[in-house]
Amino acid sequence: MKTISPQETLELVSAGLAYGIDVREQSEWDAGHSDLFTLHPLSTFDVGKISTDKPVIFICRSGKRSAQ
């Protein structure tokens, strides 16, 4: 696992060089999100449904869930 800056995250995801996965819950997503990311709440996350043909960047509110 590698930690990168929010700026680098946005650059990679917006350029299509990485997938952006938001692991927050639906209510957090509804309160605000970036359309560059796909919602996959950690509570129901299925790693088998994630494509691995390019890097995957996980985000959440504080970094704890995305590190899991």
Side-chain angles (χ1 to χ4, degrees):
M1 179 177 80
K2 177 182 175 187
T3 301
I4 62 174
S5 71
Q7 181 64 32
E8 187 176 359
T9 297
L10 287 176
E11 289 171 4
L12 290 169
V13 175
S14 64
L17 300 175
Y19 293 112
I21 306 295
D22 189 328
V23 294
R24 297 176 302 154
E25 294 301 317
Q26 183 71 54
S27 61
E28 294 170 292
W29 172 267
D30 292 342
H33 64 273
S34 169
D35 290 334
L36 295 173
F37 293 81
T38 303
L39 178 64
H40 288 284
L42 187 60
S43 62
T44 59
F45 186 76
D46 182 356
V47 72
K49 293 184 178 182
I50 303 299
S51 180
T52 57
D53 61 324
K54 54 186 165 183
V56 178
I57 300 174
F58 296 96
I59 64 165
C60 67
R61 185 177 52 109
S62 68
K64 184 176 178 180
R65 287 174 283 188
S66 60
Q68 292 179 12

